[in-house]
Amino acid sequence: MKISCFVKTAWLVDTDNEARTSPYEENPNMPQIIRTATPDDIAQLVDLLMLDAEERHAEDGILWKMAEDAPAQIEKALTFALTAEQQPFRQIWQVADEGGRIDGVIHSMILPVPPIYAGSSGEPGLILPDSFAAPDAPDGTVNALLVAAEKALQEAGTRIVLSSYVSGEDWRKSFEDAGFKPLTLYLSRTVLGDQRTPSIVRQATEEDVPGIVMRSAENRRVLFDIDAFWEIHPEADPRFSAWMTRSLTLRDRDMMVMGASKELEGYIIAQPASRLHFPPAHDITGTGVIDDYYHPELADLARLRDGGEGATALLRAAEAAFANRGMGAAFVVCPAGWQSKIEMLVESGYETAMIWSIKR
């Protein structure tokens, strides 16, 4: 893990624009408190979140590529989150404040339930990867931030809390000690230019949508067998069919299938990355995400059938699609309990880059 140095803010500016000594400098022994972030914290948070982003960048410089204007992107995201009246989802930013110095931050949100899942436990809370404590923060800062975030999410009505982890041993240990168990792995590969689209894989058409929906239903049953978190919505099939039909019109993704439309063997969708998984300091234009992906060779959770040749061909086709779009990294979403799929991905050159864990 990259070791960074956090520079203490020694001066603040009051309303009369006169420099004055910070509370931290006047009394460096002031106790640390955990509180909700305010717009006044943005300047310090930008510095702190840049250190956080640099740690991820050190883990993988291609997957976690830094945006050229990373500080500005962080400031823009924070300003919107802390000031905008209309938000697409509820965000919660909390900070560790030690006498005016912000030495820790935790970012959480209320996660909308995808329409193909029932969500009978309500919308879960999610602790996002742009949560960070300065290297010289007091012992226990990470634990204190985690406790505060869980409490805030529970007060917001969540019954399930998810956490995301990329780097930082303190965070991994705190999540484990708090009872979080791995739910989803995000595996990545950053060598995509060495693949061609296998001849047995083709671009999907509208005629393939019923077959894609059929295979997706099999995929959803496997997910539910792994964990009831993926409880299937009664209207999952028509909802997924409508989304697949619309997806065929979107120019930013590739939908690929294997086999004849009436006997579709498998499908994969190679789509652009979103901000849900990547904090604003990172440039996501070079990263693609694979989430909707299934082949019957993966149906057995423990053992890959027929060597996974068909499933691997679909994966290689998605990688080729990303490479053709100038992308340098692929991010595959895979449940932590799907051992046969993990085995196939690892054999194909993928490594775990992020873990989402769950606490009920």
Side-chain angles (χ1 to χ4, degrees):
M1 182 178 72
K2 182 178 178 180
I3 303 299
S4 303
C5 177
F6 184 87
V7 180
K8 297 176 183 177
T9 302
W11 298 93
L12 299 175
V13 178
D14 62 17
T15 55
D16 295 323
N17 295 321
E18 293 179 356
R20 61 182 175 85
T21 308
S22 75
Y24 182 87
E25 188 178 68
E26 291 174 351
N27 186 357
N29 297 316
M30 289 181 70
Q32 183 190 69
I33 61 170
I34 308 299
R35 59 171 176 80
T36 302
T38 72
D40 291 338
D41 301 320
I42 290 175
Q44 289 195 67
L45 286 176
V46 170
D47 292 339
L48 198 62
L49 291 172
M50 277 298 296
L51 295 182
D52 172 48
E54 287 165 2
E55 281 202 353
R56 280 188 296 273
H57 181 71
E59 293 283 335
D60 188 327
I62 299 176
L63 179 65
W64 303 107
K65 181 182 178 181
M66 298 291 287
E68 291 183 2
D69 57 344
Q73 291 299 323
I74 295 173
E75 182 177 3
K76 179 181 177 181
L78 284 169
T79 301
F80 179 80
L82 298 178
T83 64
E85 293 184 2
Q86 297 295 325
Q87 305 269 350
F89 48 81
R90 181 174 177 183
Q91 297 185 67
I92 304 172
W93 285 89
Q94 295 163 288
V95 297
D97 182 336
E98 190 181 7
R101 176 211 175 192
I102 306 302
D103 52 19
V105 59
I106 193 162
H107 182 198
S108 59
M109 65 175 284
I110 307 300
L111 185 67
V113 177
I116 61 173
Y117 299 115
S120 59
S121 295
E123 293 181 324
L126 170 63
I127 297 171
L128 291 147
D130 49 349
S131 300
F132 185 75
D136 57 347
D139 291 342
T141 296
V142 169
N143 286 336
L145 287 166
L146 178 55
V147 169
E150 286 193 71
K151 181 179 179 182
L153 290 169
Q154 290 164 1
E155 290 175 349
T158 61
R159 294 164 56 189
I160 293 174
V161 178
L162 306 174
S163 66
S164 53
Y165 163 79
V166 176
S167 63
E169 189 65 15
D170 288 346
W171 288 97
R172 182 195 64 77
K173 187 175 187 306
S174 290
F175 288 137
E176 290 181 356
D177 291 347
F180 286 85
K181 306 294 183 183
L183 176 70
T184 304
L185 305 183
Y186 294 81
L187 298 99
S188 70
R189 186 171 190 255
T190 53
V191 181
L192 305 181
D194 59 345
Q195 302 299 330
R196 294 183 178 179
T197 303
S199 59
I200 57 176
V201 180
R202 60 180 176 81
Q203 291 291 324
T205 68
E206 194 167 348
E207 292 181 350
D208 296 315
V209 170
I212 293 174
V213 172
M214 176 190 70
R215 291 303 185 189
S216 173
E218 295 175 17
N219 182 54
R220 293 193 297 272
R221 287 193 291 271
V222 174
L223 291 173
F224 183 72
D225 287 343
I226 293 173
D227 196 297
F229 175 79
W230 290 290
E231 180 184 3
I232 304 168
H233 194 281
E235 298 297 318
D237 281 357
R239 291 181 176 189
F240 191 72
S241 178
W243 174 239
M244 290 297 97
T245 301
R246 181 170 182 270
S247 293
L248 284 170
T249 69
L250 302 178
R251 301 284 187 178
D252 64 351
R253 65 201 60 202
D254 291 272
M255 297 174 59
M256 290 165 285
V257 296
M258 182 182 297
S261 296
K262 293 183 178 180
E263 298 178 353
L264 206 66
E265 296 175 28
Y267 72 98
I268 193 165
I269 301 175
Q271 60 190 24
S274 74
R275 281 296 168 202
L276 178 62
H277 303 114
F278 293 82
H282 300 292
D283 179 355
I284 61 175
T285 57
T287 300
V289 172
I290 299 168
D291 190 357
D292 293 311
Y293 168 35
Y294 183 75
H295 191 284
E297 292 169 348
L298 303 168
D300 187 331
L301 292 175
R303 184 173 58 86
L304 195 62
R305 199 181 77 193
D306 298 331
E309 292 184 6
T312 301
L314 283 168
L315 181 64
R316 296 310 188 201
E319 293 173 352
F322 287 144
N324 288 338
R325 290 177 179 270
M327 295 180 175
F331 213 37
V332 182
V333 184
C334 180
W338 202 332
Q339 190 56 45
S340 60
K341 194 171 186 178
I342 294 170
E343 174 189 331
M344 185 272 297
L345 290 168
V346 171
E347 289 181 353
S348 298
Y350 285 75
E351 296 181 349
T352 300
M354 182 167 65
I355 299 173
W356 278 24
S357 298
I358 187 168
K359 181 178 181 180
R360 291 177 170 88

